[in-house]
Amino acid sequence: MIEGLSRNAARNIFFGGSIFFFVLFVALTLHSHYYIVTESTDHDGLTEQVRMGKHVWEKESCINCHSLLGEGAYFAPELGNVWLRYGGDEDPEAARQGLKSWIRLQPLGVPGRRQMPSYKHLTEEELDALVEFLRWTSTIDTQGWPPTISG
Amino acid sequence: MKYETQKVAYPFFIAALLLFAGQVSFGLLAGAVYVWPDFFADFMPFHIMRMSHTNLLLVWLLIGFFGATYYLLPEEAETEIHSPMIAYIQLGIFVFAGAAALISYQFGIHEGREFLEQPLWIKILLTISFLMFLYNGTRTLMAGRKTAISIVLLLGLWLAAIFWLFAFYNPANLSLDKMYWWYVVHIWVEGVWGLIMASLLAYLLIKLTGVDREIIEKWLYVIVGLVLFSGLLGTGHHYYWIGTPGYWQPIGSFFSALEVVPLFAMVAFAFYMFWRGNRNHPNKSAILWTLGCTVMAFFGAGVWGFMHTLSWVNYYSHGTQVTAAHGHLAFYGAYVMLNLAIITFAMPQLRGKRPYNQIRNMWSFWLMTGGMAFMTFTLTFAGVIQTHLQRVMDIRYMVAQDDLTLFYAMRFGSGVIVVIGALLFLWATLGKPREQVPTGATHIATDAA
Ligand code: HEM
Ligand code: HEM
Ligand SMILES: [Fe+2]
């Protein structure tokens, strides 16, 4: 098949085809953008507190130990649904307190067990925001992922 | 070496190799924490090791690509590099930015998206350096002969820089953030870097096999076409579970499965050209790396990628050690080996020697490649078990991890082999040349390059 093809024809197919697929890809992402903003996430619920929580999440780079919606590192538990694991859908207040005190307690220092670092430098406000960000994340429509509550 | 300014590549390759040694060392530290969780806990936590490991990887690969471009562009364009001075300054900025990132990480100063942890001012420096590089390369290309190899190579680098700009866009909505994050990460490694890979391979094949440019360049266009036709919509394999619409499941599955085709074509391309070629090139170790690159990229990216790319498989395996297995072999096969192939090919000429230390170089090939393959196997086993325990049996993450200790120990062991192989490579290429030609090759012409 390749014998019958000239170099210039191959080049034209490359440029033409790539532009075609690129345009298609961008069109689909634009639609996905719209879908995310209007349907799959609580876009209106992106309060100052959630934004701040995302900022804390990034400042501490939790992603380099944990995964979030399955992306990130594989060293520590998935956190996209940790709010639900802590029972946040039934008792939000207990989940909030549970998550906050878990983070405050670090490092546990159990010998021979993976460590999560100390976060004692975070303020009460930052901790609240972080947990609120995790709650917001748990409301994203992820097409039913993860398969189990264990994450 | 025909053109004086090809020399510009030399410091690029040295910098790349030194950072490579740093990269695998941080990997080893991170691997050690999996086996001895208390290891270094008070001194350097896991996340710092990990971001140092992955950032050094990206920085040295890019420096290697820059060096490779400066090396081959004069030959392709038949003219000297536009400005060696810009090249050296640009390298200085890039290395400074990389080092600054590395140091600030040790003090807990970083941003928080995976692979894009560099503080803003460092991202800006990297961008400036990249643009200086593109200016220099494009001016050189414009001034001379325009071959398919140099056009595809520079197109790949331009697009890499353009998609990198999405690193500056960080929406507050996590799903949007993730969707555009893949514009950098996936579009790089499975899209525009594919152009860089295919064009560098095409250059190596012309040099090493002596096959006609006309034929090689036709293959080049076919392959990069296949890369982008499959790879752009293939991004959909990251859009299954992050809040994006359900149609990405069939689209992502279908197109990312097709990504295997160009990877297979690269293997066929390389072996076919060696079979057709009549040149008996004396740099046997460069031949080994070139062929090895296509084969390992096919397994690491193609086979291991396909293994978890269909949405109904990915539903279970997403974000487990299976991903880590694939990430390692794919990066190693496609981009690490590509850079090492170019460096192995170019170094003798940059240093004005005949191919040297080939036995050492080939030992490093087998140690590193064997080590990475074994690491991939152990992580794959670990990942399959993890998937079953956590995603099918609903056993908690930390409990499931207890059953994987043996695999992490083996990963550490293979990591040690990889690091030894990497150091051997540095010794072979940067160390004192010993005139040494592999047996069976003693009769070859000495300056076929
Ligand atoms: C040239 C060789 C190597 C390459 C190209 C490489 C590449 C990578 C990449 C791309 C990641 C991110 C993985 C992902 O997100 O899926 C990573 C993480 C990692 N690498 Fe490597 N690496 C190399 C060598 C090593 C070595 C020698 C070790 C030592 C054991 C190692 C240990 C690790 C560990 C422990 C992680 C973190 C994985 C996790 O999150 O659990 N790497 N590496
Ligand atoms: C040279 C090419 C490639 C490189 C360097 C590469 C590298 C990587 C890395 C580092 C990740 C982990 C990203 C993260 O940290 O979240 C990843 C994920 C993934 N790759 Fe690749 N890859 C390549 C090609 C491919 C191909 C050809 C396929 C499919 C056939 C593929 C399928 C996947 C899938 C499905 C994931 C997501 C895994 C998950 O759900 O956790 N990759 N790749
Ligand atoms: Fe991908």
Side-chain angles (χ1 to χ4, degrees), chain A residues 2 5 7 29 31-33 40-41 43 54 58-59 64 68-69 71 74-75 114 144-145 148 150-151, chain B residues 110 112 117 170-171 173 177-178 180 182-183 217-218 243 247-248 315 318 390-391 394 396-397 401:
Chain A
I2 193 157
L5 185 75
R7 182 177 56 178
T29 13
H31 174 265
S32 300
H33 188 126
S40 62
T41 68
H43 195 70
K54 183 163 185 278
E58 288 169 0
K59 186 172 60 117
N64 269 296
L68 190 65
L69 303 187
E71 293 166 5
Y74 321 110
F75 181 75
R114 292 182 200 168
W145 194 89
T148 61
S150 289
Chain B
H110 45 65
E117 295 90 352
N170 182 5
N173 185 316
D177 166 2
K178 283 175 174 292
Y180 292 110
W182 285 112
Y183 264 54
E217 292 190 338
K218 182 168 74 178
Y247 56 68
W248 285 112
Y315 181 65
H318 182 48
Q390 214 179 297
R391 302 279 164 80
D394 197 6
R396 289 291 188 260
Y397 175 94
Q401 289 294 312

Side-chain angles (χ1 to χ4, degrees), chain A residues 1-37 39-44 46-47 50-51 54-55 57-78 80 85 107 109-117 119 133 136-137 140-151, chain B residues 30 33-34 37-38 41 45-48 50-51 54 108 110-115 117 148 151-152 155 163 169-183 187 195 213-214 217-219 221-222 224-226 228-230 232-233 235-236 238-249 251 255 272 276 314-321 323-324 386 390-398 401-402 408:
Chain A
M1 151 204 134
I2 193 157
E3 269 72 29
L5 185 75
S6 78
R7 182 177 56 178
N8 286 349
R11 186 192 58 206
N12 295 343
I13 294 173
F14 163 63
F15 281 109
S18 299
I19 290 171
F20 172 77
F21 281 105
F22 181 70
V23 170
L24 200 57
F25 175 60
V26 171
L28 284 172
T29 13
L30 286 178
H31 174 265
S32 300
H33 188 126
Y34 179 74
Y35 173 88
I36 288 170
V37 172
E39 282 189 46
S40 62
T41 68
D42 178 15
H43 195 70
D44 296 333
L46 279 173
T47 57
V50 177
R51 288 163 195 266
K54 183 163 185 278
H55 181 70
W57 167 264
E58 288 169 0
K59 186 172 60 117
E60 303 298 341
S61 199
C62 315
I63 199 77
N64 269 296
C65 285
H66 290 278
S67 57
L68 190 65
L69 303 187
E71 293 166 5
Y74 321 110
F75 181 75
E78 160 70 27
R85 217 154 42 241
V110 181
R113 192 174 169 95
R114 292 182 200 168
Q115 292 286 330
M116 173 159 150
Y119 287 105
F133 167 68
W136 184 90
T137 301
I140 296 174
D141 173 6
T142 56
Q143 313 276 342
W145 194 89
T148 61
I149 190 73
S150 289
Chain B
V33 179
Y34 264 97
D38 301 332
F46 180 85
H47 64 303
I48 302 296
R50 189 184 196 273
M51 68 176 87
T54 54
H110 45 65
E111 292 188 2
R113 294 190 297 159
E114 195 193 0
F115 305 133
E117 295 90 352
I151 290 173
V152 172
L155 182 64
F163 281 98
Y169 177 52
N170 182 5
N173 185 316
L174 184 71
S175 292
L176 290 180
D177 166 2
K178 283 175 174 292
M179 186 169 74
Y180 292 110
W181 180 82
W182 285 112
Y183 264 54
I187 302 270
L195 274 56
R213 176 177 288 276
E214 181 80 15
E217 292 190 338
K218 182 168 74 178
W219 272 81
Y221 278 124
V222 171
V224 292
L226 292 170
L228 290 187
F229 301 170
S230 61
L232 287 168
L233 289 177
T235 317
H238 305 293
Y239 293 167
Y240 299 153
W241 330 114
I242 59 168
T244 26
Y247 56 68
W248 285 112
Q249 291 176 26
I251 294 178
F255 283 93
Y272 178 58
R276 262 185 89 129
N314 191 264
Y315 181 65
Y316 293 100
S317 67
H318 182 48
T320 60
Q321 297 295 332
T323 312
Q386 180 191 4
Q390 214 179 297
R391 302 279 164 80
V392 180
M393 294 174 63
D394 197 6
I395 291 172
R396 289 291 188 260
Y397 175 94
M398 287 300 279
Q401 289 294 312
D402 283 341
Y408 294 137

Side-chain angles (χ1 to χ4, degrees), chain A residues 56-135:
Chain A
V56 176
W57 167 264
E58 288 169 0
K59 186 172 60 117
E60 303 298 341
S61 199
C62 315
I63 199 77
N64 269 296
C65 285
H66 290 278
S67 57
L68 190 65
L69 303 187
E71 293 166 5
Y74 321 110
F75 181 75
E78 160 70 27
L79 295 184
N81 66 343
V82 74
W83 175 258
L84 304 175
R85 217 154 42 241
Y86 271 66
D89 45 347
E90 269 148 32
D91 188 347
E93 204 34 49
R96 206 175 293 281
Q97 290 314 323
L99 281 165
K100 277 172 67 177
S101 49
W102 166 266
I103 296 169
R104 263 204 221 97
L105 267 172
Q106 306 304 319
L108 296 183
V110 181
R113 192 174 169 95
R114 292 182 200 168
Q115 292 286 330
M116 173 159 150
S118 163
Y119 287 105
K120 305 212 180 350
H121 57 277
L122 293 183
T123 64
E124 199 63 24
E125 195 191 1
E126 285 175 319
L127 265 184
D128 280 323
L130 191 54
V131 173
E132 179 61 9
F133 167 68
L134 291 174
R135 184 203 60 76

